[in-house]
């Protein structure tokens, strides 16, 4: 016979705790008196962290330091130095070296990198593919798949001996990524011969876990327009930017289905474009197997004044500045369905500063919008208008304002006759003497 526990013995929900003392919260969590709900547990942990950081008598002790002449990167508990050559774990009380790759000449240095973390619901054939790995792109066009814990080379792919590849990016995070070459410029011999080079750049798309090639394509100005200057892949959309401040979006799935001539497999023999070799090996590399001979259907196009076009939110909206001088400094939030401007959709942060404000969709996929200026951060939400499901408005969820004494300042000067004069002047919102958003963000 099984006896049920009394109501007093059951685990209390997180919302019944009223103590704000961090020690009490930690002791309660250690004893198991915490909610099973992930959201409440995360909120409780963040409350503990906030109490410790914002406590007036909290002292921070320096436990470790390291300098680097190159960019320092952090990703999922790992700190990378010297162009991803050295990796330290930050999960221990003091950072510990995980691995250090051998030094290489500048012609083989790492240009860009992405950290790949395998989803737990997928079971892969090789145990090594189930662990986190680091994708690196080197200056000599090699794509390396390294173990994130040891730096061991798991796989490598040679891209091209003709085009210089320089950057990596996620198409769909932890699923598909792309490698983009630099812009192909007309050579002196081509210029003398009067030959037009219409190839802007090459883009290769791959799947991860396991590493598989989707395809290599060329961006041809004859197809996408002579003013095309840059491309990127994001969420299955190929975005082409033009020098005329125009952006056009195309379906990458449609491009692959319609224009892929042959499916290529890394490490296998291939004969394509009058050349034979092993896909992914030097000097053959990865040939072009997506030949776009006509312009795909345009999903969306928009002209803008500056800062490009951003797409996001729930439901889908886009942010841009209309292509006219009178709209300088404003940001318009419109529905991607019909282009209608949302109610309160013109965001204008009137500020006197040298630096412009910036606006973007929150990276946590919540659909919120962050509008940040030198002294204020506005967190905005897209909401349906009352009684009208197809019209939307922008409302302010909350705002954060930097501490300011006054926008007026005075300067004391002494004239030639010895008279003291106070001259008042207007301080800029991003004056170095004032608390600014960048300082607030560094604290957060």
């Amino acid at each position: 016979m099984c006896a049920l526990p009394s109501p007093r013995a059951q685990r209390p929900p997180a919302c019944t705790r009223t103590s704000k003392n961090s020690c009490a919260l930690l002791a309660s969590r250690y004893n198991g008196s915490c909610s099973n709900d992930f959201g409440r547990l995360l909120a409780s942990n963040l409350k503990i962290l906030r109490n410790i950081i914002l406590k007036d008598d909290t002292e921070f002790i320096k436990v470790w330091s390291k300098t680097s002449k190159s960019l320092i990167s952090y990703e999922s508990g790992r700190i990378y130095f010297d162009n991803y050559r050295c990796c330290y774990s930050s999960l221990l009380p003091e950072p510990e070296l995980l691995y250090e790759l051998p030094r290489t000449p500048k012609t083989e240095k790492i240009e860009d990198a992405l950290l790949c973390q395998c989803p737990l619901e997928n079971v892969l054939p090789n145990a090594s593919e189930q662990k986190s790995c680091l994708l690196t792109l080197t200056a000599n066009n090699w794509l390396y798949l390294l173990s994130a814990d040891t730096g061991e080379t798991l796989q490598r792919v040679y891209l091209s001996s003709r085009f210089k590849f320089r950057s990596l990016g996620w198409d769909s995070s932890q699923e598909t990524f792309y490698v983009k070459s630099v812009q192909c410029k007309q050579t002196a011999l081509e210029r003398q011969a009067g030959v037009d080079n219409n190839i802007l750049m090459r883009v290769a798309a791959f799947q991860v876990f396991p590493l598989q090639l989707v395809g290599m394509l060329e961006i041809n100005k004859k197809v996408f327009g002579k003013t095309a200057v840059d491309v990127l892949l994001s969420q299955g959309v190929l975005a082409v930017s033009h020098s005329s401040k125009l952006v056009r979006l195309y379906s990458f799935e449609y491009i692959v289905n319609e224009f892929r001539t042959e499916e290529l497999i890394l490490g296998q023999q291939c004969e394509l474009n009058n050349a034979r070799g092993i896909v992914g090996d030097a000097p053959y590399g990865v040939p072009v197997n997506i030949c776009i001979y006509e312009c795909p259907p345009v999903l969306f196009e928009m002209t803008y004044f500056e800062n490009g076009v951003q797409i996001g939110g729930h439901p889908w909206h886009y942010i841009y500045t209309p292509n006219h001088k009178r709209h300088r400094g404003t940001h318009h939030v419109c529905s991607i369905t019909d282009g209608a401007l949302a109610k309160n959709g013109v965001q204008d942060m009137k500020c006197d500063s040298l630096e412009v404000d910036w606006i973007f969709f929150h990276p946590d996929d919540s659909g919120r919008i962050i509008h940040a200026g030198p002294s204020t951060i506005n967190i905005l939400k897209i909401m349906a208008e009352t009684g009208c499901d197809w019209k939307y408005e922008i409302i302010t969820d909350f705002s954060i304002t930097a501490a300011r004494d006054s926008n007026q300042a005075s300067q004391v000067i002494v004239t030639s006759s010895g008279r003291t004069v106070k001259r008042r002047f207007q301080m800029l919102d991003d004056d170095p003497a004032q608390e600014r958003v960048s300082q607030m963000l560094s604290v957060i």
Side-chain angles (χ1 to χ4, degrees):
M1 186 173 181
C2 180
L4 294 174
S6 65
R8 291 184 179 181
Q10 294 180 2
R11 177 176 296 172
C15 59
T16 60
R17 295 199 303 267
T18 58
S19 174
K20 294 184 178 180
N21 184 282
S22 298
C23 293
L25 291 174
L26 287 171
S28 177
R29 190 180 70 177
Y30 178 78
N31 293 327
S33 299
C34 59
S35 174
N36 287 326
D37 182 74
F38 176 77
R40 288 183 175 179
L41 185 59
L42 177 62
S44 175
N45 293 338
L46 292 176
K47 185 185 294 184
I48 295 171
L49 180 63
R50 183 189 63 187
N51 292 345
I52 294 174
I53 293 177
L54 299 182
K55 194 175 180 182
D56 293 335
D57 57 350
T58 298
E59 294 184 5
F60 295 91
I61 302 173
K62 180 179 177 181
V63 295
W64 184 81
S65 66
K66 182 176 174 61
T67 60
S68 175
K69 293 182 180 179
S70 57
L71 181 67
I72 301 174
S73 303
Y74 172 84
E75 188 78 33
S76 299
R78 298 176 178 88
I79 310 174
Y80 297 96
F81 295 90
D82 196 12
N83 285 333
Y84 296 92
R85 194 180 65 85
C86 302
C87 178
Y88 286 79
S89 171
S90 64
L91 302 179
L92 302 173
E94 183 174 331
E96 184 178 278
L97 180 66
L98 287 178
Y99 64 84
E100 183 175 348
L101 301 177
R103 291 187 178 275
T104 56
K106 288 185 177 180
T107 55
E108 300 176 10
K109 72 172 184 176
I110 296 176
E111 297 280 3
D112 204 357
L114 292 174
L115 183 65
C116 303
Q117 295 177 311
C118 180
L120 299 178
E121 65 270 13
N122 295 341
V123 178
L124 301 176
N126 299 326
S128 60
E129 296 174 344
Q130 203 73 41
K131 299 180 180 179
S132 299
C133 59
L134 186 70
L135 273 167
T136 61
L137 176 64
T138 62
N140 57 349
N141 283 348
W142 279 97
L143 183 67
Y144 284 90
L145 193 65
L146 307 177
S147 168
D149 297 323
T150 64
E152 176 189 359
T153 300
L154 304 177
Q155 192 173 354
R156 66 175 191 166
V157 177
Y158 186 69
L159 297 173
S160 175
S161 57
R162 179 184 171 191
F163 286 78
K164 171 71 176 176
F165 285 83
R166 187 62 60 85
S167 60
L168 292 169
W170 286 113
D171 172 26
S172 180
S173 182
Q174 305 300 330
E175 292 182 8
T176 56
F177 69 95
Y178 67 95
V179 193
K180 188 172 67 173
S181 74
V182 297
Q183 293 186 13
C184 183
K185 297 181 179 180
Q186 191 177 30
T187 63
L189 292 176
E190 289 175 338
R191 199 177 299 110
Q192 290 176 0
V195 178
D196 292 332
N197 184 11
N198 294 306
I199 304 302
L200 175 66
M201 61 178 60
R202 282 188 180 183
V203 179
F206 293 85
Q207 291 181 349
V208 290
F209 302 117
L211 185 64
Q212 295 177 342
L213 175 67
V214 176
M216 174 81 79
L217 65 147
E218 289 181 337
I219 305 300
N220 195 317
K221 292 185 178 181
K222 283 186 176 181
V223 175
F224 293 98
K226 292 183 178 180
T227 58
V229 291
D230 198 11
V231 298
L232 62 85
L233 270 174
S234 179
Q235 301 298 322
V237 173
L238 179 71
V240 181
S241 302
H242 296 256
S243 58
S244 56
K245 295 185 177 179
L246 169 72
V247 61
R248 288 193 177 107
L249 306 184
Y250 307 89
S251 169
F252 186 64
E253 181 182 3
Y254 176 89
I255 291 173
V256 172
N257 293 336
E258 290 293 321
F259 301 107
R260 186 165 64 178
T261 57
E262 184 178 340
E263 188 172 349
L264 302 179
I265 300 176
L266 296 174
Q268 291 192 2
Q269 281 279 352
C270 168
E271 185 174 357
L272 198 63
N273 303 325
N274 299 322
R276 175 181 292 183
I278 298 177
V279 180
D281 278 5
Y284 187 69
V286 179
V288 174
N289 67 327
I290 301 177
C291 303
I292 307 175
Y293 51 84
E294 62 179 5
C295 187
V298 178
L299 300 178
F300 175 83
E301 81 175 83
M302 176 59 61
T303 58
Y304 57 91
F305 183 71
E306 55 188 9
N307 301 329
V309 179
Q310 301 181 60
I311 298 177
H314 305 301
W316 290 102
H317 279 67
Y318 62 92
I319 304 172
Y320 82 114
T321 301
N323 193 14
H324 198 282
K325 288 184 178 180
R326 71 172 180 268
H327 296 296
R328 182 192 295 271
T330 65
H331 307 278
H332 293 230
V333 184
C334 304
S335 171
I336 203 170
T337 304
D338 55 4
L341 179 69
K343 184 180 179 181
N344 301 325
V346 180
Q347 298 296 314
D348 185 7
M349 187 171 289
K350 301 182 184 298
C351 51
D352 297 323
S353 61
L354 298 176
E355 298 180 0
V356 298
D357 57 319
W358 67 93
I359 189 169
F360 55 92
F361 288 100
H362 200 293
D364 65 354
D365 291 333
S366 63
R368 295 180 296 173
I369 300 172
I370 299 179
H371 188 192
S375 60
T376 305
I377 302 176
N378 293 328
I379 309 300
L380 311 172
K381 292 189 348 183
I382 303 172
M383 302 290 292
E385 290 189 25
T386 306
C388 188
D389 294 338
W390 64 91
K391 292 184 179 180
Y392 300 92
E393 63 178 329
I394 307 302
I395 63 172
T396 302
D397 195 9
F398 63 90
S399 296
I400 305 173
T401 304
R404 295 295 172 93
D405 295 331
S406 174
N407 212 29
Q408 295 285 340
S410 61
Q411 181 180 13
V412 179
I413 59 174
V414 180
T415 65
S416 58
S417 61
R419 194 163 54 92
T420 301
V421 178
K422 278 188 177 183
R423 185 173 64 181
R424 302 186 69 82
F425 60 93
Q426 186 83 8
M427 291 186 66
L428 294 175
D429 290 331
D430 57 352
D431 191 279
Q434 298 274 21
E435 183 182 11
R436 292 173 291 166
V437 162
S438 58
Q439 296 170 346
M440 294 161 55
L441 291 176
S442 64
V443 173
I444 295 174

